[in-house]
Amino acid sequence: MVETAYGVVNLNDVTPLQTLLNLAELRGELTNLCQSRNAGWGGLEEVRVRILRLHRARQCTFAVALKTETGTHDLIGKVYLGDRVEVFEIMEKLWRAGFHAEAEYSIPQPVAYVPSMRLRFEERVEGRSVEEVLVEDGLSEQLAAAQRCGSWLAQFHTTAPRLGKATVLREELASAERWALRLASLGEPFAGKAEAVFQKLVAAASALAPMELRAAHGSYQPSHVILAEGRTVTIDWDNFVLADPSRDVAWFLVKLQRLAMERLGDHHALESVAETFLWNYVCSGPWEVLARLPVYQALFYMEAAKRDLKSQLPQWREQVGIMLDQALRVLSAPAMDQESSLLLTPIQRRGDSYSREN
């Protein structure tokens, strides 16, 4: 039996999961895992599974609670429609590279991968997501969370082994052109804005100097950062790539604005959080990211506008307009204005004396 948001059900009765996971086979693999030399948990007595997220029948994330001879143990499981062993392998390499449980900046411990089931088990990290903090807590807690997010990403970009498939700006610009054409087909007021964004985006991208690619999370955002006791943990490594580090920073900033818009009712509501995140990132991360941020922010604003259009939610027109306006804003702002607004404001606001030296 499986516990879901709808109660306890038989997993095989949940139609979207039938091609992804068989409960009897799952229990067998968990029995083997508990009795393995690495785990050493003894005989398996009881299993409870709680579905956390289903991605269009392509993958499913679930929590696993195990009762064994030695006590209770909690894991996260993730099953895919296709083989994703490379995600487990990358997590193992990151763990060995220093992002382990004893480190201040870490990832969940990879536990096992079952090739026959396309299934990965990893540590279930106890703590709150940064998204929860930003939605539920006050300003001081929000800024503390932003500091930890910026510091984690800077540590990752400067020390993580450079692994994964390379993603290049040229390919992302091709996607942006398709999104611009789709948005332009809606007519005004979207057509003119979409065309202007893409033209400015191409011009800004062509002016960028080359930058060395680094390990990138690929979807670094508040919901993927867990604030655990003594460590900051980043989860969900499915989109790991080798990329311009500006990409991760821009994704986080755009996701912050989306969170503010969707959960707090004002896309400006988390601006101080964005400033604090970026300041803490550049204090120990690559400073060159600042000049490159507008290009990647605009790309992700365009992608968000495309997703809003596709969603056809009641507010989609308003959200598409906001995203295009934000893309125009970052591409039109002088470079110095961007640096001062995102970096000097936290200094002035707190009256602290900051230094880039560690």
Side-chain angles (χ1 to χ4, degrees), residues 28-299:
E29 292 296 341
L30 287 170
T31 298
N32 294 337
L33 173 63
C34 290
Q35 296 176 341
S36 68
R37 180 178 301 176
N38 288 339
W41 294 337
L44 180 61
E45 298 175 356
E46 184 181 345
V47 180
R48 291 189 71 83
V49 175
R50 181 165 55 90
I51 299 171
L52 300 176
R53 198 169 196 188
L54 177 66
H55 303 261
R56 301 179 185 174
R58 294 197 305 265
Q59 61 191 53
C60 179
T61 305
F62 54 95
V64 184
L66 306 175
K67 182 180 179 182
T68 73
E69 293 174 343
T70 60
T72 59
H73 310 276
D74 294 315
L75 298 172
I76 293 294
K78 195 159 191 177
V79 60
Y80 301 88
L81 186 60
D83 184 31
R84 294 301 308 273
V85 66
E86 78 280 2
V87 180
F88 180 76
E89 293 171 346
I90 284 171
M91 291 181 69
E92 284 193 311
K93 291 174 181 177
L94 291 175
W95 185 265
R96 291 195 296 268
F99 292 86
H100 48 69
E102 288 73 39
E104 181 180 1
Y105 309 115
S106 67
I107 68 169
Q109 181 178 5
V111 175
Y113 184 77
V114 184
S116 62
M117 298 182 69
R118 307 168 308 282
L119 172 62
R120 182 178 77 250
F121 291 113
E122 63 188 51
E123 170 195 7
R124 182 180 182 183
V125 179
E126 293 295 332
R128 298 177 69 199
S129 75
V130 170
E131 181 174 300
E132 291 178 60
V133 173
L134 297 180
V135 171
E136 299 173 4
D137 292 2
L139 181 61
S140 61
E141 292 84 3
Q142 291 176 340
L143 296 182
Q147 290 174 351
R148 291 174 69 172
C149 289
S151 297
W152 189 98
L153 190 59
Q155 177 75 7
F156 178 70
H157 282 163
T158 54
T159 66
R162 299 182 183 186
L163 307 166
K165 180 182 178 181
T167 181
V168 294
L169 183 57
R170 180 181 63 257
E171 297 170 354
E172 301 198 86
L173 287 173
S175 296
E177 183 176 21
R178 292 192 296 271
W179 302 336
L181 290 172
R182 178 68 182 93
L183 292 165
S185 70
L186 299 173
E188 297 300 342
F190 305 123
K193 289 181 179 180
E195 182 178 356
V197 169
F198 184 69
Q199 289 177 351
K200 288 178 176 291
L201 183 57
V202 171
S206 65
L208 293 179
M211 186 169 187
E212 188 176 13
L213 302 184
R214 305 188 185 211
H217 180 273
S219 59
Y220 190 68
Q221 60 195 53
S223 62
H224 291 165
V225 184
I226 306 298
L227 304 179
E229 184 175 356
R231 58 195 282 230
T232 303
V233 187
T234 298
I235 64 172
D236 201 336
W237 289 90
D238 290 350
N239 297 311
F240 185 95
V241 289
L242 198 63
D244 184 329
S246 313
R247 194 177 188 276
D248 275 343
V249 179
W251 183 272
F252 190 91
L253 292 171
V254 172
K255 284 295 185 178
L256 272 181
Q257 203 161 27
R258 294 291 303 191
L259 181 65
M261 181 173 67
E262 295 167 6
R263 300 289 300 277
L264 302 177
D266 178 5
H267 64 279
H268 297 296
L270 295 174
E271 286 183 349
S272 59
V273 172
E275 294 166 354
T276 301
F277 161 77
L278 186 53
W279 175 256
N280 278 271
Y281 175 83
V282 298
C283 278
S284 54
W287 184 267
E288 304 91 328
V289 159
L290 288 176
R292 312 172 72 82
L293 266 182
V295 168
Y296 284 95
Q297 284 179 281
L299 273 171

Side-chain angles (χ1 to χ4, degrees), residues 7-19:
V8 178
V9 300
N10 187 316
L11 187 60
N12 293 321
D13 291 337
V14 184
T15 303
L17 296 182
Q18 287 180 355
T19 60

